[in-house]
Amino acid sequence: MKTTCILCPVGCLLNVEKINNTVVVTGNECPRGIAFGTSELIEPVRMLTTLVKTNHGIASVKLSKPISKEKIWEVKKALNQNIYTNVKVGDVIVNNICLTNANVVITGFGNSCAKNE
Amino acid sequence: MENFVLVIGGGPAGMAAALASASQGVKTVLIERDNRLGGILNQCIHNGFGLSYFHEELTGPEYAQRFEQKILASNVEVMLNTFVLSVENNNVCVVSPNGNQTLKPSAIVLAMGAREKTAGNIQLLGTRPVGIFTAGQAQKMVNHFGVLPGKKVVILGSGDIGLIMARRLTLEGATVLGVYEIMPTSGGLARNISSCLTDFSIPLHLSTTIKKVEGETRVTGVWVAKVDNALKPIADTLEFIECDCVLLSVGLVPENDVVKGLNLNPTTQGAVVDERRHTNLNGVFSCGNVLQIHDLVDNACIEAELAGTQAAQHVLGAKPSGTPFKIEVGNGIRQVVPAVGFSGLGNIELMFRTSTQAKKTFVQVQNKLTQEVIAQKVLAKVFA
């Protein structure tokens, strides 16, 4: 299969094939592409960066590591259910979200007057 | 009053320039119009920042916070909520909650960044209902205020900001009907096409533009059309797309308006600078997106460190050594910074954009008079 590596701005076009039970990746300009290409064939993973509601307004979050692409919407919906209270940048607000082994971390705050009650 | 360097703009470039200036032992003041430092990064909640500068992949706010912490630990004097009205003859008029002031710095570093091109800039035809935003405006609405700009969205322009917003809006519950790009290739990074469009099954329509917007109070839809080689809409390809929101991701313009008498380079729309990032105005330096649009914030910060250091050196009385020489674009090169080098200042790093995208491109620097090749390099890939 062909896939674009998303690990850095170069975006190498990778060719990923299974040859005799081994995954062979070509087209990568650096070694990181091999791991990426392999995971795209076996189990694609993605980082999720999004927003959560807090009692001080909107906050941006990221995951501590990329998760299975298939779990992205489940995680997003889980985060939409809650208002997180008294959090600051760097706080882990959810551990092992939706059993992905990834944590959810606050990365910043919106600059709004639209605060939650 | 002590001699000081004034940095205008508290985004990543401004912060990096201020830190570099202060590290030279020169008093440094940093002005920012917003109520906090960070600039555009505060609304860029996605990751991918800092790979080369910090050797880590950070989100925009996290990258900004790294610099903010360094600023707080330094003796840079920060003026927030302070808006520059004009820069003339090194008099800087500002307004803040404390009223008006005129600052008289010994050197200035311009780091105001860029603004987005609007519907007016591209002469978008049709009505002007609610629901037309630039991608960055929409990004601020969503990421700062938690407000969607619309429910059914069409995006014009496939540059990175448009691609990032296609993903953001989809994740936050809107439907992105498609990204329309007037050129035959996308202006955005391949990784963004993949992770923002392909991942979410959002179609990319190349060689297609919005011919007209419809709607009286609110956008009701757009007419899109394929374009010919001259980028003119082809009449019988017109198609109506029902939507309630149009996002424009159609280019960035360095925001130099407040500076009187600044010589601008028409290819970059930023100042004409020498290798120290010094402009035509004595003691005025420029860096970051207000000088040239950077694809990577890491490069904007490295450029800013150069400008900040040179601004401080200027205050300390340093002058460039050697004879100046011009640096011009040649075949296939759209823009190059800097425009002037000095023979006594050692190696120069040239930052340039090409006219077309290509793989395996051979780039050469040549002495125009003698035809001697000064430097050459093979680049694996060039983006326009």
Side-chain angles (χ1 to χ4, degrees):
Chain A
M1 67 176 224
K2 282 207 181 294
T3 190
T4 302
C5 181
I6 62 172
L7 296 184
C8 91
V10 177
C12 299
L13 185 60
L14 306 175
N15 196 48
V16 188
E17 281 177 320
K18 213 163 187 183
I19 302 175
N20 297 333
N21 272 338
T22 319
V23 180
V24 179
V25 178
T26 50
N28 54 307
E29 302 257 348
C30 87
R32 294 167 76 206
I34 299 175
F36 180 82
T38 307
S39 70
E40 283 299 281
L41 189 66
I42 297 169
E43 191 194 15
V45 294
R46 291 291 181 269
M47 170 54 64
L48 174 66
T49 54
T50 184
L51 303 169
V52 295
K53 288 184 185 155
T54 77
N55 61 333
H56 293 302
I58 295 285
S60 53
V61 296
K62 70 175 185 187
L63 301 178
S64 53
K65 66 184 183 73
I67 61 172
S68 171
K69 204 167 146 183
E70 288 174 355
K71 288 272 211 172
I72 292 284
W73 282 109
E74 186 188 337
V75 168
K76 175 59 182 160
K77 282 180 179 126
L79 288 172
N80 283 350
Q81 305 301 320
N82 302 311
I83 296 177
Y84 298 91
T85 52
N86 301 322
V87 292
K88 53 188 196 308
V89 174
D91 280 359
V92 172
I93 56 170
V94 185
N95 280 301
N96 187 16
I97 188 158
C98 300
L99 302 176
T100 58
N101 286 323
N103 303 330
V104 182
V105 185
I106 300 275
T107 54
F109 281 93
N111 203 11
S112 72
C113 17
K115 297 199 193 316
N116 295 313
E117 297 308 312
Chain B
M1 174 64 174
E2 193 185 340
N3 286 339
F4 67 100
V5 170
L6 182 70
V7 180
I8 306 179
M15 289 192 284
L19 288 166
S21 169
S23 75
Q24 300 287 303
V26 174
K27 180 169 153 76
T28 305
V29 178
L30 175 61
I31 301 185
E32 166 54 45
R33 66 185 172 187
D34 207 343
N35 63 4
R36 58 178 170 173
L37 296 174
I40 204 69
L41 290 179
N42 288 327
Q43 66 184 60
C44 297
I45 69 162
H46 52 284
N47 69 339
F49 301 92
L51 265 173
S52 67
Y53 196 94
F54 291 112
H55 304 294
E56 277 183 74
E57 201 169 327
L58 302 172
T59 60
E62 289 172 311
Y63 188 103
Q65 282 147 31
R66 294 279 173 101
F67 275 90
E68 233 182 312
Q69 277 152 17
K70 293 190 208 208
I71 292 274
L72 287 172
S74 75
N75 54 5
V76 172
E77 187 186 320
V78 178
M79 297 169 67
L80 296 175
N81 299 304
T82 302
F83 196 91
V84 172
L85 298 175
S86 68
V87 177
E88 191 168 2
N89 298 327
N90 287 24
N91 288 336
V92 181
C93 294
V94 306
V95 63
S96 73
N98 296 327
N100 288 2
Q101 282 185 70
T102 300
L103 304 169
K104 294 176 198 278
S106 316
I108 298 170
V109 180
L110 306 175
M112 298 86 83
R115 62 170 178 262
E116 299 174 277
K117 281 194 185 169
T118 62
N121 286 134
I122 61 166
Q123 298 181 328
L124 182 66
L125 298 178
T127 51
R128 286 291 184 267
V130 170
I132 305 174
F133 303 98
T134 59
Q137 279 176 323
Q139 188 180 51
K140 190 167 192 174
M141 287 170 71
V142 176
N143 294 345
H144 280 331
F145 295 86
V147 171
L148 281 179
K151 289 280 170 68
K152 288 163 75 180
V153 183
V154 162
I155 299 179
L156 180 62
S158 67
D160 289 320
I161 307 175
L163 300 177
I164 293 288
M165 283 314 293
R167 178 174 63 190
R168 286 299 298 120
L169 290 172
T170 306
L171 277 170
E172 301 308 331
T175 303
V176 178
L177 299 166
V179 174
Y180 293 83
E181 168 57 55
I182 196 171
M183 301 300 280
T185 54
S186 164
L189 295 174
R191 77 155 166 185
N192 287 333
I193 302 277
S194 178
S195 60
C196 299
L197 300 189
T198 317
D199 273 5
F200 294 92
S201 305
I202 298 169
L204 171 64
H205 303 277
L206 297 173
S207 295
T208 313
T209 193
I210 295 179
K211 178 87 171 61
K212 192 177 162 189
V213 174
E214 285 207 14
E216 290 306 314
T217 52
R218 180 87 208 185
V219 171
T220 53
V222 293
W223 289 93
V224 298
K226 287 245 165 256
V227 298
D228 59 24
N229 290 339
L231 304 184
K232 293 278 174 281
I234 302 168
D236 55 8
T237 65
L238 270 178
E239 188 190 340
F240 187 71
I241 313 282
E242 232 181 70
C243 62
D244 66 1
C245 175
V246 180
L247 292 199
L248 304 175
S249 173
V250 291
L252 297 174
V253 181
E255 199 151 26
N256 285 290
D257 309 40
V258 291
V259 186
K260 296 238 170 10
L262 191 65
N263 258 7
L264 293 183
N265 179 337
T267 62
T268 59
Q269 297 181 293
V272 174
V273 293
D274 67 29
E275 62 177 287
R276 305 168 297 155
R277 298 306 187 266
H278 187 261
T279 67
N280 65 303
L281 301 172
N282 186 35
V284 179
F285 298 77
S286 180
C287 62
N289 274 359
V290 82
L291 174 62
Q292 54 173 334
I293 303 303
H294 287 267
D295 292 333
L296 299 180
V297 67
D298 309 62
N299 295 337
C301 288
I302 292 168
E303 176 171 74
E305 284 165 353
L306 167 59
T309 303
Q310 292 297 326
Q313 287 296 313
H314 176 88
V315 170
L316 295 172
K319 300 228 182 296
S321 60
T323 43
F325 56 90
K326 280 199 214 164
I327 301 164
E328 295 173 353
V329 297
N331 199 30
I333 304 291
R334 186 150 54 97
Q335 63 183 57
V336 66
V337 173
V340 175
F342 289 95
S343 62
L345 290 182
N347 284 342
I348 307 182
E349 188 179 68
L350 299 180
M351 302 177 77
F352 60 91
R353 286 190 187 270
T354 56
S355 310
T356 50
Q357 288 185 29
K359 297 203 169 112
K360 275 242 157 35
T361 300
F362 183 65
V363 180
Q364 214 174 47
V365 182
Q366 197 181 46
N367 183 317
K368 198 171 173 183
L369 277 177
T370 67
Q371 307 276 294
E372 178 204 346
V373 172
I374 302 164
Q376 53 194 19
K377 197 170 180 176
V378 174
L379 296 171
K381 212 181 207 185
V382 289
F383 310 88

